[in-house]
Amino acid sequence: MRKFMIVVYDTPECMNALRFAERRAASTGGGVVMLYIIAPEEFQHWIGVGERMRAEAREAAEERLSALADEMQGLGGVRPEIVIREGVAREEVLGQIKDDAEIGVLVLGAGTSGDGPGPLVSALAGRMAGDLTVPVTVVPGSMTLEQIDAVC
């Protein structure tokens, strides 16, 4: 089964990427992988404090992903696979694609600010595109849910 992988962040463009991946998976009989990455710099404190922060970050990630998974399943019946990794975002994305041979498409949401599409989109669809083994679909952050539905 071909899987569409998205990287989950707390941004509006992430929701567009989620919707696109869910709709494409539903229409093609595929699956969805929701990848949440916890940045390592969040734990650069004393060992005890760092471990507590790591546990809290993981718990928050699990809660967010669970809520999104329920929402996605309610939209189109696709129950996504949930993956949480710790590290540098672009390296963890490449690592997850390497670890899961069924991932066939990476779906990213592009930001709408004047600063460009976002650091992950810039890195993976630009400088690091040659390192990817799957195609990248970039969903514009300015698309409405209706527009996304129309192209899927």
Side-chain angles (χ1 to χ4, degrees):
M1 165 180 43
R2 180 174 70 163
K3 298 178 187 175
F4 296 83
M5 185 174 81
I6 64 150
V7 182
V8 175
Y9 289 103
D10 291 324
T11 62
E13 59 268 18
C14 174
M15 297 308 293
N16 280 4
L18 259 171
R19 179 67 163 243
F20 181 88
E22 182 277 324
R23 290 295 190 221
R24 291 294 300 142
S27 69
T28 62
V32 175
V33 174
M34 292 191 313
L35 174 64
Y36 191 99
I37 302 166
I38 300 171
E41 62 268 7
E42 294 179 23
F43 313 117
Q44 301 291 326
H45 300 285
W46 295 315
I47 293 173
V49 174
E51 288 302 316
R52 181 174 174 96
M53 290 177 68
R54 178 176 280 114
E56 289 173 357
R58 186 166 197 81
E59 183 178 325
E62 289 170 354
E63 288 175 14
R64 169 111 169 103
L65 291 171
S66 179
L68 289 172
D70 290 344
E71 184 177 330
M72 184 179 287
Q73 188 168 14
L75 282 173
V78 175
R79 184 70 184 178
E81 180 181 332
I82 293 173
V83 177
I84 300 172
R85 295 176 72 123
E86 290 182 27
V88 177
R90 61 185 177 271
E91 293 170 8
E92 295 305 321
V93 168
L94 294 174
Q96 184 62 33
I97 291 169
K98 182 180 177 186
D99 292 347
D100 186 344
E102 291 185 324
I103 294 172
V105 179
L106 172 62
V107 180
L108 300 172
T112 57
S113 72
D115 298 333
L120 191 58
V121 173
S122 295
L124 292 173
R127 296 182 302 268
M128 297 181 71
D131 296 333
L132 289 166
T133 57
V134 299
V136 178
T137 298
V138 179
V139 182
S142 60
M143 286 183 80
T144 65
L145 297 178
E146 293 77 21
Q147 290 171 321
I148 293 169
D149 290 346
V151 298
C152 292

